[in-house]
Amino acid sequence: MKGIIFNLLEDMVVAQCGMQVWNDLLAKHAPSDRVYLSAKSYAETELFSIVQDVALRLNLPMQDVVKAFGRFLFGGLASRHTDVVQRFSDFTELVMGIHDVIHMEVNKLYHEPSLPTISGRMVSNKQIELIYSSPRKLCYCAEGLLFGAAEHFKQSIAISHPTCMHHGAEHCILIIDLHEDSA
Amino acid sequence: MTDKDNPFFIAYQREKRARVEVEILLEDSTRQLYEKNMQLQAQILQIQHQQQSLIHQEKLATLGIIAAGVAHEINNPLAYIISNIETLTNYSRTMLTAVDHEQGVPVDSRELDYIKTDLMPLIDDTTEGLNRITDITKKLLFFARTDVTGSSEICLQDAVEFSLKLLKTRLKLVQLSTSFMASSAIQFNASELNQVLVNLMVNAIQACEEMPTRKAIIHISTEQTEAEVILRIADNGCGISEDTRAKMFDAFYTTKPVGTGTGVGLSIVLQILQQHQCTIDVQSQLQEGSIISIHFPLPPCSAEE
């Protein structure tokens, strides 16, 4: 897992729970000398342990915390890479460009970023079907990222998740319904 | 005191912002580096294609040089094949008449006896001539082919003899001698090796032609050390000046009259040799002649043999 993800998790935890909580989480789940650098890779177990602890502290289901982090993550990444986000005129264009544009840009920046496989299909002009596959099974984070992107483009959406890797499927299917009313 | 009022928190936020800025600068540089690397890879690919195209063009130019000689090599057997076929046609007529003789047409028995003795040698000569033509066209086709990829084990002596056959006509006025002492095979692309050898041999012949007042002498030899096989092509031609020696492997440099040399022959020779980890060195004395030596490294197992 790249350090940039930990950096943005830190931002979210510090913003919502305070600096002390982040220090406690690090002390508990990471080696004592841990410093997260955006371009370096770190064990994903560290991230999962921290998120799980946050879920316990907030008394929220893990998937809700992961989804909330995904939403926060989009804002953090978009503010760092405004030029990439500006290439898309709307939410649909961004979703359809995840593989060809966004992942290509990530590959330019990071060595072996271990990206998920994502392919999008326009079912109709009001619906997108997204197929997600990754050994990390971070589909709820992907959902959060999509909500973050929709918020950025002021697009109102609803996501259903009829097929999920957490229930034994080979990949997840996310159905994104685009609503007329702006978010 | 909340985080917001904590001076350490404010300092932490400031430091964090500074770190993000530095990381963004690093990311920008990384992205630029990636894009330049992509451009470089595309350019390398383009250069590789251009180099292959240049090698092919040079090969066609060399083919032009040896074409007249090859045509002559084909014409010689062709001339006596045509003559033999004419004779065989006449013999056939006479023999058909002899068959008719049994039905009352007279035939000279001495002529029939002569045909009997001449028939098989004529057929043998014709077959031999046709085989020679087949052999030379096969060699020409092998030299011209560009689909041979990768290196293989090659007997340098066979390769030299093959190239000498292609240049047979051009070597008619040359006192040629060979001495093959190397026994180990070398690793080389067969088609490219022929191109290198023909190119260097044509240069040796042309250097000799520059000295028309004396008998042209070319000596080709191979020898072997523990680590390499060395090929030497020595001629008593016009030699190479120091100035030319410094530039002779540069692309488009030629001492030949306009229209007779592409100027890329030796640069391609050098390029092919470098691709095979071989080296070339030139010893020369003006008006006396030159010795071109090529060093073919042997794989460790061959060197140990």
Side-chain angles (χ1 to χ4, degrees):
Chain A
M1 186 68 72
K2 287 293 165 192
I4 177 77
I5 307 298
F6 289 89
N7 293 154
L8 289 165
L9 179 65
E10 175 185 349
D11 286 350
M12 189 177 89
V13 171
V14 170
Q16 308 212 342
C17 310
M19 201 161 62
Q20 184 59 49
V21 172
W22 178 250
N23 282 340
D24 293 345
L25 289 169
L26 277 194
K28 198 169 162 190
H29 302 291
S32 58
D33 56 350
R34 174 61 81 225
V35 171
Y36 295 113
L37 295 178
S38 65
K40 276 184 81 175
S41 293
Y42 303 90
E44 57 203 46
T45 49
E46 283 178 34
L47 184 100
F48 293 139
S49 306
I50 295 169
V51 172
Q52 201 161 28
D53 204 329
V54 171
L56 278 172
R57 282 166 193 258
L58 298 175
N59 199 24
L60 285 170
M62 172 87 164
Q63 65 189 58
D64 286 2
V65 174
V66 173
K67 213 182 279 187
F69 175 55
R71 201 174 202 140
F72 186 88
L73 190 59
F74 182 87
L77 294 172
S79 66
R80 272 195 174 208
H81 303 287
T82 46
D83 52 329
V84 177
V85 180
Q86 276 168 4
R87 289 193 207 173
F88 305 106
S89 59
D90 57 26
F91 170 77
T92 305
E93 210 177 281
L94 181 140
V95 173
M96 297 308 287
I98 291 173
H99 179 72
D100 292 336
V101 181
I102 297 178
H103 284 182
M104 185 187 268
E105 289 300 320
V106 175
N107 276 314
K108 285 182 190 177
L109 296 182
Y110 303 116
H111 177 63
E112 294 178 356
S114 308
L115 294 166
T117 306
I118 293 177
S119 62
R121 181 175 73 91
M122 291 297 298
V123 179
S124 69
N125 61 349
K126 297 280 170 220
Q127 195 176 68
I128 304 168
E129 182 193 71
L130 214 61
I131 295 176
Y132 169 96
S133 171
S134 164
R136 291 167 173 161
K137 298 182 185 175
L138 282 168
C139 49
Y140 292 111
C141 185
E143 265 193 57
L145 281 162
L146 289 167
F147 278 115
E151 213 165 79
H152 177 88
F153 286 104
K154 299 185 172 39
Q155 170 70 54
S156 173
I157 60 163
I159 299 176
S160 58
H161 197 148
T163 305
C164 184
M165 295 179 82
H166 290 287
H167 300 128
E170 277 187 11
H171 55 256
C172 294
I173 297 176
L174 303 177
I175 305 292
I176 308 162
D177 287 304
L178 309 168
H179 296 160
E180 287 286 348
D181 55 313
S182 58
Chain B
M1 186 167 63
T2 63
D3 274 351
K4 229 172 143 186
D5 306 318
N6 183 343
F8 292 107
F9 180 74
I10 294 165
Y12 154 81
Q13 291 286 40
R14 193 168 50 240
E15 285 305 312
K16 200 165 163 55
R17 275 201 305 278
R19 197 176 78 168
V20 168
E21 272 187 41
V22 169
E23 284 184 344
I24 288 171
L25 283 175
L26 189 68
E27 283 178 358
D28 286 345
S29 302
T30 308
R31 192 183 297 110
Q32 282 172 21
L33 202 64
Y34 177 92
E35 281 162 1
K36 281 184 179 153
N37 194 32
M38 287 288 122
Q39 280 174 11
L40 205 61
Q41 279 181 19
Q43 282 166 352
I44 287 169
L45 206 64
Q46 195 185 353
I47 289 169
Q48 281 171 346
H49 285 312
Q50 283 168 347
Q51 280 175 340
Q52 282 308 311
S53 161
L54 208 58
I55 287 175
H56 186 55
Q57 281 171 27
E58 178 57 20
K59 183 171 267 188
L60 292 178
T62 312
L63 266 176
I65 292 172
I66 60 177
V70 169
H72 187 71
E73 281 299 300
I74 291 172
N75 264 344
N76 273 345
L78 207 55
Y80 65 75
I81 287 168
I82 291 168
S83 164
N84 288 357
I85 286 175
E86 273 175 21
T87 309
L88 285 168
T89 308
N90 289 335
Y91 287 173
S92 304
R93 282 200 194 102
T94 308
M95 286 193 290
L96 285 172
T97 309
V99 173
D100 286 345
H101 173 59
E102 289 168 7
Q103 293 159 6
V105 183
V107 71
D108 186 345
S109 62
R110 281 172 303 174
E111 195 180 348
L112 269 181
D113 287 341
Y114 181 76
I115 289 173
K116 274 182 194 169
T117 54
D118 198 32
L119 196 61
M120 284 320 291
L122 265 184
I123 290 171
D124 287 347
D125 282 355
T126 307
T127 309
E128 191 265 340
L130 289 170
N131 285 338
R132 270 177 65 184
I133 292 173
T134 309
D135 186 49
I136 195 86
T137 51
K138 264 188 196 164
K139 285 186 169 66
L140 197 63
L141 283 173
F142 183 77
F143 179 80
R145 66 191 291 192
T146 53
D147 58 335
V148 181
T149 54
S151 297
S152 57
E153 277 201 352
I154 294 172
C155 169
L156 189 54
Q157 180 177 342
D158 290 349
V160 169
E161 284 172 349
F162 177 89
S163 301
L164 288 174
K165 277 182 188 163
L166 278 177
L167 294 167
K168 194 174 166 189
T169 314
R170 295 211 57 172
L171 287 161
K172 265 189 181 145
L173 298 174
V174 175
Q175 184 185 315
L176 176 76
S177 59
T178 55
S179 142
F180 299 111
M181 305 301 285
S183 57
S184 290
I186 57 164
Q187 282 287 329
F188 219 97
N189 177 298
S191 173
E192 289 180 353
L193 181 60
N194 288 326
Q195 192 170 354
V196 167
L197 296 175
V198 168
N199 215 305
L200 293 176
M201 288 176 195
V202 166
N203 278 355
I205 295 165
Q206 286 172 339
C208 291
E209 285 167 354
E210 291 289 309
M211 306 295 286
T213 52
R214 67 176 178 231
K215 175 77 183 164
I217 300 170
I218 293 178
H219 179 67
I220 300 175
S221 63
T222 66
E223 61 182 81
Q224 186 173 340
T225 68
E226 274 188 10
E228 60 184 15
V229 167
I230 305 160
L231 168 76
R232 288 201 173 87
I233 300 174
D235 67 70
N236 68 338
C238 58
I240 307 161
S241 70
E242 271 190 36
D243 186 41
T244 301
R245 234 180 295 170
K247 298 177 197 160
M248 61 191 279
F249 292 109
D250 294 352
F252 307 110
Y253 176 80
T254 181
T255 55
K256 293 167 192 169
V258 175
T260 58
T262 58
V264 293
L266 280 178
S267 74
I268 284 171
V269 164
L270 183 67
Q271 187 187 311
I272 292 172
L273 290 173
Q274 283 173 340
Q275 278 169 4
H276 291 82
Q277 285 79 48
C278 298
T279 55
I280 183 166
D281 60 64
V282 181
Q283 290 169 274
S284 188
Q285 207 166 343
L286 268 178
Q287 312 296 318
E288 296 293 326
S290 307
I291 303 171
I292 308 285
S293 306
I294 301 176
H295 301 256
F296 299 89
L298 286 171
C301 53
S302 299
E304 283 165 14
E305 278 169 13

